Amino acid sequence: MPRSHRHAVTNLALLTERHAMQTVLVLNGPNLNLLGLREPSVYGTHTLADVEALCAAACETHQFRLDFRQSNHEGVLIDAIQEAGRAQATGALAGVIMNAGAYTHTSVALHDAIKGAGVTLIELHISNVHAREAFRHQSYLSAVAKGVMAGFGVKGYALAIAALAGMTSAA
Ligand code: DQA
């Protein structure tokens, strides 16, 4: 095969690989913008920017593209979940890792959004919510989540990305 053609084949393989790269949406809810400052004895001293860097490294390891977001607004989180459902339907998105913060314990609207969007979602908490106040034991997300990760600190984000990679590669 002529050298120029060999290049063409390699480039095509790279393009196909890039096209096949799925996105992971990491969605953070209220007050998570304050990570590092907020109750460090509970949530640690890592900032949200540190968490984003950690997620970027985990996504690189598992060949995912990272979409990392934070909002203090329930409606913005719902819009993101609906958008994720549409992206997953096209095959562009592997799933969502969501730390919904306090909305975990209050939001029927988030429950309905996850169910309605039909999106693969891992519920994540930095702290072990079950070892804390009783109001944190209730989750509106768990029943519609693929899995739940709690109590592993910010490293839980990387573990959840690895779990998502395991789920999608087993398919
Ligand atoms: C949290 C636990 C929630 O109860 C709390 O409201 C948060 C953070 C966690 O990551 O441990 O904001 O989701």
Side-chain angles (χ1 to χ4, degrees):
M1 186 192 292
R3 205 178 159 73
S4 58
H5 283 203
R6 253 184 284 146
H7 268 288
V9 170
T10 313
N11 289 343
L12 184 66
L14 281 176
L15 276 176
T16 313
E17 218 171 87
R18 200 167 302 145
H19 183 74
M21 188 180 268
Q22 287 187 304
T23 296
V24 170
L25 172 63
V26 178
L27 199 50
N28 294 283
N31 300 308
L32 288 159
N33 54 315
L34 299 179
L35 264 188
L37 299 171
R38 170 194 184 207
E39 298 179 79
S41 60
V42 177
Y43 300 114
T45 52
H46 291 288
T47 65
L48 195 63
D50 296 334
V51 175
E52 183 169 3
L54 181 153
C55 288
C59 279
E60 201 177 330
T61 302
H62 297 288
Q63 294 183 304
F64 284 133
R65 197 184 74 81
L66 175 66
D67 184 350
F68 191 92
R69 305 186 200 182
Q70 188 276 331
S71 176
N72 291 327
H73 305 278
E74 197 173 16
V76 172
L77 298 169
I78 289 166
D79 287 345
I81 287 166
Q82 291 183 5
E83 185 188 331
R86 292 190 291 272
Q88 191 168 347
T90 70
L93 185 100
V96 180
I97 292 158
M98 181 165 204
N99 186 348
Y103 286 143
T104 306
H105 318 299
T106 63
S107 182
V108 176
L110 277 177
H111 171 105
D112 286 351
I114 296 161
K115 198 173 185 177
V119 76
T120 303
L121 182 139
I122 298 179
E123 173 186 346
L124 181 141
H125 304 285
I126 295 166
S127 64
N128 178 359
V129 283
H130 300 287
R132 300 181 62 194
E133 304 97 316
F135 67 83
R136 294 184 206 276
H137 301 175
Q138 155 79 9
S139 168
Y140 283 99
L141 269 61
S142 300
V144 286
K146 183 86 179 170
V148 181
M149 173 91 59
F152 295 94
V154 296
K155 286 197 177 106
Y157 284 84
L159 295 172
I161 289 166
L164 213 47
M167 282 173 205
T168 50
S169 66

